[in-house]
Amino acid sequence: MKLILAIVQDKDSNVLSSEFIDNDIRATKLSTTGGFLKAGNTTFIIGIEDERVYEVLDIIKKTSHARKQFMSPMPNLELGVDMAMPYPVEVEVGGATVFVMPVDQFERY
Ligand code: 2BA
């Protein structure tokens, strides 16, 4: 068995949840926050049999879209008033960031 952690954008999370349900894939959805943009994203925890890992990855790939987002860097007040407000920076976020990990033991009671 493997544990998949998939970080996706909030905009893709409802479609992805529905895909998991339609394909009989059990998943847990967490509301998370990206460390860089400090904006909300969604992390799915999925426990899945080894032979279904690529099926799950295909679904995530199909439903997660890359988007451009603007972030405003924190003002640096030490630079003085003129230089303190930096311009917004464009960042491409997603499709999805996915970790696949081995599971030593799985129990359901
Ligand atoms: P954030 O940390 O908010 O990052 C959003 C996007 O900002 C990233 O998109 C990337 O394009 C950019 N970015 C992140 N850190 C950067 C840096 N130090 N310098 C320049 N640009 C940077 P993605 O790579 O698609 O990541 C989307 C979200 O996935 C991240 O949101 C974070 O929540 C998660 N993530 C990405 N890589 C991760 C990792 N190695 N470990 C844990 N979480 C990760």
Side-chain angles (χ1 to χ4, degrees), residues 1-4 25-26 46-50 52-53 56:
M1 181 176 231
K2 294 283 192 288
L3 186 73
I4 299 178
I25 293 164
R26 289 169 188 253
I46 305 132
I48 197 79
E49 299 77 21
D50 285 0
R52 297 192 70 197
V53 166
V56 174

Side-chain angles (χ1 to χ4, degrees), residues 3-22:
L3 186 73
I4 299 178
L5 282 185
I7 304 161
V8 303
Q9 292 180 63
D10 288 344
K11 285 177 184 161
D12 295 322
S13 65
N14 284 340
V15 176
L16 189 50
S17 285
S18 304
E19 285 284 328
F20 286 151
I21 292 166
D22 291 348

Side-chain angles (χ1 to χ4, degrees), residues 25-87:
I25 293 164
R26 289 169 188 253
T28 296
K29 196 174 157 186
L30 303 174
S31 291
T32 45
T33 304
F36 188 67
L37 293 181
K38 299 180 178 64
N41 54 26
T42 302
T43 300
F44 285 89
I45 304 175
I46 305 132
I48 197 79
E49 299 77 21
D50 285 0
E51 59 275 16
R52 297 192 70 197
V53 166
Y54 284 100
E55 182 189 342
V56 174
L57 296 181
D58 281 346
I59 291 170
I60 295 170
K61 206 184 293 180
K62 194 179 71 187
T63 51
S64 305
H65 305 286
R67 296 183 184 87
K68 292 192 192 306
Q69 237 168 278
F70 281 94
M71 71 163 297
S72 298
M74 290 295 287
N76 184 349
L77 298 175
E78 288 173 8
L79 294 177
V81 180
D82 290 346
M83 301 286 289
M85 294 306 294
Y87 290 104

